[in-house]
Amino acid sequence: MKKTKNENIDISRILEKELGISFSNYEFKLDSWGDVDNYCELNNGDLLLLECEQGQKHPNTNVLKLYPYLENHSNKRIVLIHYFFPENKSPKNRLELCNFLASKMEILFNSRFQYVSLKCDKSSLAGKLKEQKKGLMQQLLTGKKRLKIENK
């Protein structure tokens, strides 16, 4: 395994503090489909994966490579946190493609995949993450689903 880059470790530390987890600070190998920048193994082998985009112009490939991995590992549940550094200049259509692919994968893999896209500077990352703690991520981190409270 290859050690993750220092700037990705900086992002990981913010996530660790907010989520109460520990990243490995090594890249995670998705069989022959590529690597993910950092990962945290949760209960029963569930994974919280982190992709950090600085110069990548085609970030959709970093979402798409999880498709065959999830297909080949039917026992895995994955939350992908896709962090975009402010200097990332990915074209809007590529960012939309990330969201499109991820939403299709969330449906296809039912409760086994969740995508969280965050584009902000480091100082506002914790706040943005709090807004996103839902669904599968909440379940994997706490062991239970968050209940919706309806206003009547």
Side-chain angles (χ1 to χ4, degrees):
M1 280 195 242
K2 190 167 101 178
K3 188 151 175 70
T4 196
K5 295 177 183 176
N6 287 333
E7 50 272 2
N8 297 343
I9 291 173
D10 291 343
I11 299 302
S12 301
R13 286 188 181 128
I14 296 168
L15 299 177
E16 287 174 336
K17 185 177 177 187
E18 183 60 36
L19 299 174
I21 57 165
S22 295
F23 281 93
S24 71
N25 295 329
Y26 285 90
E27 293 181 353
F28 184 81
K29 185 139 186 76
L30 297 168
D31 300 333
S32 63
W33 304 107
D35 300 323
V36 176
D37 291 330
N38 208 347
Y39 74 99
C40 173
E41 192 164 344
L42 302 168
N43 301 327
N44 302 322
D46 296 333
L47 296 169
L48 182 62
L49 302 177
L50 174 65
E51 280 287 4
C52 295
E53 307 291 4
Q54 271 187 310
Q56 172 71 279
K57 297 279 195 242
H58 299 275
N60 47 296
T61 60
N62 283 328
V63 177
L64 188 57
K65 67 187 175 187
L66 290 173
Y67 186 107
Y69 184 82
L70 281 162
E71 199 167 78
N72 292 335
H73 296 272
S74 60
N75 60 328
K76 293 283 186 194
R77 293 190 303 173
I78 293 175
V79 172
L80 173 62
I81 298 177
H82 205 175
Y83 176 73
F84 294 85
F85 285 93
E87 64 268 18
N88 181 273
K89 302 289 188 230
S90 295
K92 286 183 183 181
N93 66 321
R94 299 290 180 184
L95 297 174
E96 283 301 314
L97 193 51
C98 289
N99 293 325
F100 176 82
L101 288 168
S103 69
K104 294 294 185 184
M105 289 169 60
E106 285 175 340
I107 293 166
L108 179 67
F109 294 110
N110 197 1
S111 62
R112 294 183 43 231
F113 178 72
Q114 182 182 345
Y115 180 70
V116 178
S117 177
L118 302 168
K119 187 167 188 168
C120 57
D121 58 39
K122 288 185 209 178
S123 64
S124 57
L125 180 56
K128 290 278 187 189
L129 190 60
K130 282 180 187 175
E131 296 169 13
Q132 297 293 325
K133 281 174 67 173
K134 61 181 179 187
L136 180 60
M137 184 182 343
Q138 182 75 13
Q139 187 178 353
L140 294 180
L141 293 171
T142 65
K144 52 191 163 194
K145 288 185 180 179
R146 187 170 70 186
L147 298 174
K148 283 187 177 179
I149 300 173
E150 294 183 29
N151 293 330
K152 292 186 179 185

